[in-house]
Amino acid sequence: MTYSRRCALGAVYLLYVLPSIFSVATVQAQTTNQSLCTAQVCISATIFSKDPNTIEFSLTSKDQVGWLGLGTGGSASGMAGNDLAICWPDSTGKSAVISQRAAVINGPPLVRSTTPPYQIQAQKSGLQATSTAFTCTFSRALGLTTAPIATTATSINVIFAVGLQTVRPAANGDPQKAEIQQHAYTGKGVLTIVRKNGASLDGFNATAPSTTGNGGGNSGVVGAGSGELKDELALAIKMDRLVRVHGIMMTVAFLFIFPIGAFLVRFFSHLHHVFRWHRPLQVTGFLTVFAALGCVLASVYYDPDGAPKVNETSHSLFGVILIAALVLQVCIGIFIFHTFNPNRDPNKIHVPTWMHRIWGYAVLIGGLVQVNLGIARYGMWPTGKEGVWLAYDVWVALLVLVFLGGSILKKWMEVRRTRKGQ
């Protein structure tokens, strides 16, 4: 894509093209008599006759993963309202660790409880001896208040996720404070509840749920070859690096370059040579934003789950709007530069100049909001990254104080000069 076209067409082009770039399908699942399977994971649900008020879930990956997650009781198509069970191998690899989380939107989940109401079945969990595949089996009460399941239910709606990156444990070892990176795969489906006689460990022989699918239809999705996830882990790491570069560049542009360029004009516009700094700074910020946009578009190529829809998150949707607003702002600035009349009456309102000023402040505020949404989207809230939020809050507060304080000081000096002139 080239950005050398005329500015007015650029904004329209972005609004037209970006949504199509981000549109993609989600992982689809197949249901067998025993489990719900995709190319990455199989899930089963069982109620045993000796414990009819408890349901046992088992999640088995096809290859090496960082963590597995299962959501029940909320939206059938997203994270909202779901009770989220997230588990990963323990330090020995012979069992699993589990955490209960929750989310009100499709975003970083929050810790729901310091004492999760799940019971890991250690004998049925851990890394498989013959491969790097991981199984997490846990039980929970049917009447769990956060996600109740009727005793007569034959199936339930579930969502699930697979993370390829290793969970970062908390310093104190508390799984509820462990840092979980964004998932690489997501899916949803209807999970059949299997009822069996006896108890969970009756006749147990360390056999994981079936990972071969139902043998029919969509065979390209189920039964991925061994090692596929390892390759995709490498892709996920590349994607994460591009996303990080994107975030850093956007932060530099919207929290440093654009505010400095705006403040120079705001407080020193009486010095004509200040515009020699304003224009290069804002152009540099503009190019930085588009370089960052290129990074995030390139990251889509490495995304194992495919490109998200443009309206999937507030960050992506608001980002498209902000980019279009920024293009318009640059167009107004170019127009002012090429039509500037040094002999015009300074006391007369110049509409393009005021448009550029007001629209510029709107873009600045929008940039601060977008960085906030980006930090939250990347998963830096609420655990493990409080320092990032503190730095963001302090810097934004400083920008606000400089703007308000500088504006008051500038007005006071103008009034003082007027009085002296009289």
Side-chain angles (χ1 to χ4, degrees):
M1 181 183 297
T2 176
Y3 298 104
S4 61
R5 299 184 180 188
R6 300 186 67 85
C7 294
L9 292 177
V12 177
Y13 183 77
L14 282 169
L15 288 173
Y16 175 77
V17 171
L18 287 182
S20 63
I21 292 174
F22 281 101
S23 60
V24 76
T26 58
V27 173
Q28 298 298 314
Q30 289 184 320
T31 304
T32 72
N33 291 332
Q34 298 288 326
S35 57
L36 183 71
C37 288
T38 70
Q40 298 82 33
V41 65
C42 276
I43 308 167
S44 66
T46 309
I47 296 178
F48 296 92
S49 61
K50 289 186 178 180
D51 195 1
N53 295 316
T54 299
I55 186 169
E56 181 179 280
F57 292 104
S58 187
L59 298 85
T60 298
S61 70
K62 303 293 185 68
D63 211 326
Q64 181 178 359
V65 297
W67 57 269
L68 299 172
L70 181 70
T72 56
S75 169
S77 59
M79 294 173 63
N82 276 283
D83 185 86
L84 305 175
I86 300 175
C87 55
W88 57 94
D90 68 1
S91 58
T92 67
K94 297 180 179 180
S95 186
V97 180
I98 196 163
S99 176
Q100 184 186 31
R101 310 268 172 137
V104 294
I105 58 173
N106 287 340
L110 309 178
V111 175
R112 184 183 283 272
S113 172
T114 55
T115 54
Y118 308 130
Q119 179 63 47
I120 286 287
Q121 301 291 349
Q123 292 173 276
K124 293 184 175 183
S125 301
L127 298 174
Q128 296 182 12
T130 57
S131 71
T132 54
F134 169 60
T135 297
C136 174
T137 302
F138 67 95
S139 58
R140 45 144 286 197
L142 286 173
L144 182 65
T145 56
T146 51
I149 300 173
T151 56
T152 57
T154 59
S155 63
I156 54 172
N157 292 318
V158 298
I159 63 169
F160 52 91
V162 178
L164 298 182
Q165 299 188 54
T166 304
V167 173
R168 299 174 184 172
N172 62 357
D174 184 357
Q176 307 312 310
K177 295 182 179 179
E179 185 179 345
I180 299 169
Q181 297 297 309
Q182 187 174 353
H183 50 66
Y185 302 93
T186 60
K188 60 185 178 181
V190 179
L191 179 60
T192 299
I193 298 175
V194 177
R195 295 180 183 270
K196 294 183 179 180
N197 292 324
S200 173
L201 296 178
D202 289 353
F204 174 65
N205 60 1
T207 301
S210 169
T211 59
T212 58
N214 60 10
N218 201 18
S219 59
V221 175
V222 179
S226 177
E228 179 181 330
L229 291 187
K230 294 180 181 178
D231 295 335
E232 290 178 344
L233 175 59
L235 294 179
I237 292 173
K238 291 180 180 179
M239 181 190 73
D240 182 71
R241 288 173 179 170
L242 285 168
V243 171
R244 289 191 183 193
V245 172
H246 162 82
I248 292 172
M249 295 179 77
M250 286 293 192
T251 299
V252 170
F254 284 110
L255 265 63
F256 295 94
I257 298 177
F258 287 142
I260 292 173
F263 286 178
L264 284 175
V265 174
R266 171 62 181 166
F267 303 130
F268 304 103
S269 57
H270 58 287
L271 304 175
H272 183 68
H273 66 270
V274 79
F275 290 94
R276 296 178 182 177
W277 292 98
H278 172 77
R279 285 189 291 269
L281 277 170
Q282 304 310 70
V283 170
T284 300
F286 181 78
L287 295 177
T288 302
V289 166
F290 273 87
L293 177 62
C295 287
V296 80
L297 292 180
S299 73
V300 171
Y301 176 78
Y302 299 107
D303 191 344
D305 208 22
K309 295 180 180 178
V310 71
N311 60 348
E312 183 175 305
T313 67
S314 300
H315 181 66
S316 58
L317 179 59
F318 191 65
V320 173
I321 297 172
L322 187 60
I323 291 292
L326 183 59
V327 170
L328 178 59
Q329 173 69 354
V330 171
C331 289
I332 299 173
I334 293 174
F335 176 82
I336 293 173
F337 176 75
H338 287 288
T339 60
F340 178 73
N341 180 8
N343 298 319
R344 73 184 184 193
D345 185 357
N347 297 318
K348 185 178 180 180
I349 295 177
H350 187 242
V351 175
T353 299
W354 276 97
M355 285 180 60
H356 188 61
R357 180 180 300 175
I358 295 172
W359 196 249
Y361 291 149
V363 171
L364 280 178
I365 295 172
L368 298 180
V369 172
Q370 181 68 349
V371 171
N372 182 293
L373 294 174
I375 296 173
R377 174 62 179 163
Y378 190 69
M380 289 188 171
W381 181 264
T383 59
K385 298 294 183 182
E386 284 80 0
V388 172
W389 284 97
L390 179 60
Y392 170 83
D393 291 341
V394 169
W395 182 251
V396 172
L398 181 62
L399 290 178
V400 173
L401 288 175
V402 169
F403 179 81
L404 294 178
S407 298
I408 293 172
L409 179 62
K410 180 181 179 181
K411 186 64 176 178
W412 176 77
M413 293 177 67
E414 288 177 352
V415 172
R416 187 176 179 182
R417 283 196 298 268
T418 300
R419 289 178 177 175
K420 285 185 177 180
Q422 292 176 350

